[in-house]
Amino acid sequence: MMCELIICLLVMAALIIYRWLIKDHNYWKNQGVPYLRQSFPFGNISDMILMKKTTGEVYRDIYRMFPNQLAGGFYKFNEPMLMIRDPELIRLVMIKEFSKFSNNDFNVSKDVDPLLAINPFVTTAPEWRNIRAIQLPAQSLSKIKSMVPEMVNCSNQMINYLKENINKPHEAKTVSGCYTGDTVAVCAFGLRSNSYSNDEPGFAAVTKGELFGSNYWDNFSILCAMLAPKIGKLLKLRVIHKEVEDYFVKVINAASDYRIKNGIKRNDFLQQLIDTNNNSENTKPVYNNIEMAGHCMTFYMDGYETTSLLLGFALYELAKHPEIQNEVREEIIQISKDINDFDVSSISSLTKLDNVVSETLRLHPPIQAVTRICSEDTTLECKGQKYHIRKGMSVVIPIYALHTDPENFPEPELFNPERFNKQNKPLIKKFTYIPYGEGPRICIGIRFALTQVKLAMIAILLKFRILLNEAQDGPIKLDPRNTFLHTPNGGLWLRFEDWDDL
């Protein structure tokens, strides 16, 4: 009798699990929406879960399964999701219906990952607006103008390092990361460092490879934040390493205490936070030690990680296309051969350089996709088609797929900066080129990042010819162990030749 009871209970449990697994099996079919059939156990994202492909590559593959469609349905495990292909649908989600799709589908715990949890990319409505407002004053045009001299100093450190190691192989992301780390440290926090020196590691060297690591465990933590937050919380997985968190809290608060104790003031982001605390009418400061470090981490992540990827890929593409490199250099030296002569105005006048950076962002967008959660039951209507989206469901805006769709960009694998010249740029369909996102949650650090990158490129091209190292052969392969970012597997290996030696 007991054996029969146990068998019955097991059968009932199996039926309950089975019904749960297939409960949305026909979700898209019932709406008449083209879709991919659900596969057990990972749905249609097994290559992402098993770390065979990056997020951008997996979503690009799904995107291409729906040619000539506005959108297509697919599954994350057993959860239905919508892959958006049409620019008008993207506009609906990112702007017109933004209030219903304001939150990014990236979840971390404040208790486990307190610094990242403060980042406006991660925070949810309405908190994200308040946190975003904290960052905005430091990204104004006047603030960027005041930062350029410090960026020039950092670029000179980079140039001196390359001169000392002329004709040696250099990994582009590593060289770029030292520069972007140093610029953020001094421009935002007033901390001078030289990450190219082994004796003075600086911000970039301390955190190099640590913010978004390229190993299986780090990537598993990010996958959980993106796809399975309950597992991440259960296992208490961190995206930002504990030693990095401790370092930031220690350094930022030491810098803050030093300024307060010695009556030192600077016109930077850290000072903005200090002044807010000092001007508070309450006895309790507005920002505690963790919050101070968390807001600084946000500025650092925006100016270091994704920006170093952009700079590294831009240098790689110039090395790969020497004729384009020569054209950009000629444009630069028409203004000056001295990096100290460049300011925001002269940098923005370099149209060929801007075209190269724009095309690099098209072909190598640092963030490969944006996924938004629907906050209430809604229906998206576009060109006669309706898509019923349930509260809690996610929609994907596949940036990498849009940027490499031949319908949007003919010969998409070809690096062609002229797509963004004065004549061609107006022909690009809106919402098919969105490297920094779009709408109210567009990246706020765009101006700072682009100034950083362009100034570094100017400094390098004034002094060096950029060449591919002999080991850099064949097409780039993305690193599937870095799911979230567009990262080259094995790096990008370059050499730098002094123009004076040619």
Side-chain angles (χ1 to χ4, degrees):
M1 185 70 179
M2 181 61 69
C3 182
E4 292 175 350
L5 178 60
I6 292 174
I7 291 174
C8 287
L9 290 174
L10 290 174
V11 170
M12 288 177 63
L15 286 173
I16 291 171
I17 293 172
Y18 176 74
R19 288 185 64 85
W20 177 77
L21 289 173
I22 67 167
K23 65 184 176 69
D24 288 320
H25 189 70
N26 292 320
Y27 184 85
W28 296 117
K29 181 179 180 180
N30 292 339
Q31 293 190 41
V33 174
Y35 71 103
L36 301 181
R37 296 185 65 86
Q38 178 185 354
S39 298
F40 182 82
F42 301 124
N44 307 114
I45 59 171
S46 59
D47 283 347
M48 191 191 308
I49 301 295
L50 300 176
M51 302 185 200
K52 294 181 178 180
K53 293 182 179 180
T54 67
T55 301
E57 290 173 313
V58 169
Y59 287 159
R60 179 198 60 193
D61 293 345
I62 294 173
Y63 176 97
R64 291 177 177 177
M65 296 293 289
F66 302 104
N68 304 317
Q69 298 292 334
L70 306 182
F74 70 105
Y75 289 86
K76 174 182 74 174
F77 302 106
N78 68 323
E79 298 177 22
M81 297 179 70
L82 187 68
M83 173 68 64
I84 299 179
R85 302 181 85 261
D86 185 79
E88 179 59 25
L89 268 178
I90 296 172
R91 187 185 70 84
L92 283 175
V93 170
M94 296 190 122
I95 296 181
K96 188 175 180 180
E97 300 286 351
F98 172 77
S99 62
K100 300 173 185 176
F101 296 92
S102 61
N103 295 330
N104 291 318
D105 194 0
F106 194 100
N107 301 274
V108 297
S109 168
K110 287 185 178 180
D111 295 329
V112 177
D113 232 330
L115 298 194
L116 185 60
I118 295 174
N119 192 294
F121 181 83
V122 175
T123 49
T124 57
E127 186 182 8
W128 72 268
R129 288 188 182 275
N130 299 328
I131 293 179
R132 183 182 175 90
I134 295 169
Q135 299 284 331
L136 280 173
Q139 303 289 345
S140 67
L141 180 59
S142 61
K143 282 291 180 73
I144 302 301
K145 287 180 178 179
S146 70
M147 295 174 183
V148 169
E150 295 289 8
M151 292 184 187
V152 169
N153 291 335
C154 293
S155 69
N156 284 330
Q157 290 179 172
M158 175 178 59
I159 295 303
N160 291 335
Y161 168 77
L162 293 176
K163 283 183 176 179
E164 292 170 2
N165 296 275
I166 199 73
N167 289 320
K168 293 181 180 179
H170 296 276
E171 201 286 303
K173 168 66 164 58
T174 302
V175 172
S176 301
C178 290
Y179 163 77
T180 57
D182 286 348
T183 55
V184 176
V186 68
C187 291
F189 318 134
L191 299 173
R192 298 186 183 278
S193 62
N194 184 355
S195 297
Y196 297 100
S197 169
N198 293 327
D199 299 326
E200 185 189 352
F203 263 41
V206 170
T207 60
K208 187 160 40 185
E210 294 294 327
L211 287 180
F212 294 99
S214 293
N215 61 63
Y216 287 103
W217 187 249
D218 286 337
N219 198 42
F220 181 69
S221 299
I222 293 174
L223 284 170
C224 285
M226 294 169 55
L227 306 171
K230 291 181 180 179
I231 294 177
K233 291 178 181 178
L234 178 66
L235 299 178
K236 295 184 177 181
L237 299 178
R238 304 179 64 97
V239 176
I240 302 297
H241 288 209
K242 185 65 168 67
E243 52 269 31
V244 175
E245 176 186 305
D246 291 343
Y247 174 79
F248 260 83
V249 173
K250 175 183 175 182
V251 171
I252 294 302
N253 286 285
S256 174
D257 292 343
Y258 180 81
R259 291 190 191 186
I260 294 171
K261 182 179 179 180
N262 294 279
I264 297 172
K265 283 204 168 191
R266 289 176 57 92
N267 185 26
D268 60 17
F269 181 63
L270 178 59
Q271 191 65 50
Q272 174 189 321
L273 301 180
I274 294 171
D275 290 345
T276 301
N277 273 349
N278 290 340
N279 297 331
S280 173
E281 296 180 357
N282 300 322
T283 55
K284 184 180 178 181
V286 176
Y287 309 119
N288 61 32
N289 288 353
I290 292 294
E291 290 169 335
M292 287 277 286
H295 292 308
C296 289
M297 172 67 83
T298 293
F299 198 116
Y300 181 73
M301 289 175 67
D302 289 346
Y304 164 63
E305 186 73 24
T306 54
T307 309
S308 62
L309 283 171
L310 169 58
L311 178 55
F313 275 112
L315 296 176
Y316 164 81
E317 292 294 351
L318 289 180
K320 192 176 177 182
H321 301 89
E323 70 287 351
I324 297 175
Q325 181 180 163
N326 291 336
E327 290 176 4
V328 174
R329 184 174 187 271
E330 286 299 317
E331 180 186 52
I332 292 169
I333 62 177
Q334 286 179 12
I335 293 179
S336 177
K337 292 185 178 181
D338 186 349
I339 187 62
N340 295 288
D341 292 337
F342 287 85
D343 56 17
V344 168
S345 178
S346 56
I347 293 170
S348 62
S349 71
L350 297 168
T351 56
K352 288 186 178 297
L353 177 63
D354 185 70
N355 294 344
V356 165
V357 172
S358 297
E359 177 70 345
T360 303
L361 283 167
R362 182 195 68 82
L363 199 53
H364 309 289
I367 304 296
Q368 301 179 81
V370 172
T371 306
R372 293 283 173 81
I373 302 175
C374 185
S375 60
E376 60 181 90
D377 292 351
T378 190
T379 299
L380 295 175
E381 297 187 42
C382 182
K383 300 177 182 178
Q385 177 70 56
K386 294 182 179 181
Y387 303 91
H388 302 291
I389 311 296
R390 228 167 32 203
K391 179 180 179 180
M393 279 180 54
S394 298
V395 298
V396 175
I397 296 97
I399 296 172
Y400 184 48
L402 290 163
H403 287 193
T404 53
D405 185 342
E407 292 295 320
N408 300 329
F409 299 94
E411 298 183 279
E413 301 304 324
L414 178 67
F415 183 79
N416 178 16
E418 290 305 304
R419 301 178 199 272
F420 294 90
N421 66 25
K422 186 177 181 180
Q423 292 73 34
N424 293 329
K425 189 173 182 178
L427 303 178
I428 297 174
K429 290 180 284 187
K430 292 184 177 180
F431 297 97
T432 62
Y433 177 73
I434 47 174
Y436 287 104
E438 192 53 83
R441 291 196 82 151
I442 191 171
C443 176
I444 57 179
I446 298 174
R447 188 182 284 123
F448 179 83
L450 293 180
T451 304
Q452 256 185 309
V453 168
K454 291 179 181 180
L455 198 58
M457 294 174 70
I458 292 168
I460 289 174
L461 289 171
L462 285 174
K463 297 296 182 181
F464 304 107
R465 182 189 296 276
I466 314 167
L467 302 167
L468 292 177
N469 190 55
E470 290 78 2
Q472 187 70 44
D473 187 29
I476 295 172
K477 294 183 179 180
L478 298 182
D479 187 353
R481 295 169 302 172
N482 198 330
T483 296
F484 187 58
L485 298 177
H486 188 94
T487 306
N489 196 4
L492 300 170
W493 291 91
L494 309 175
R495 286 190 303 110
F496 298 86
E497 288 185 353
D498 197 317
W499 280 105
D500 295 335
D501 295 337
L502 298 177

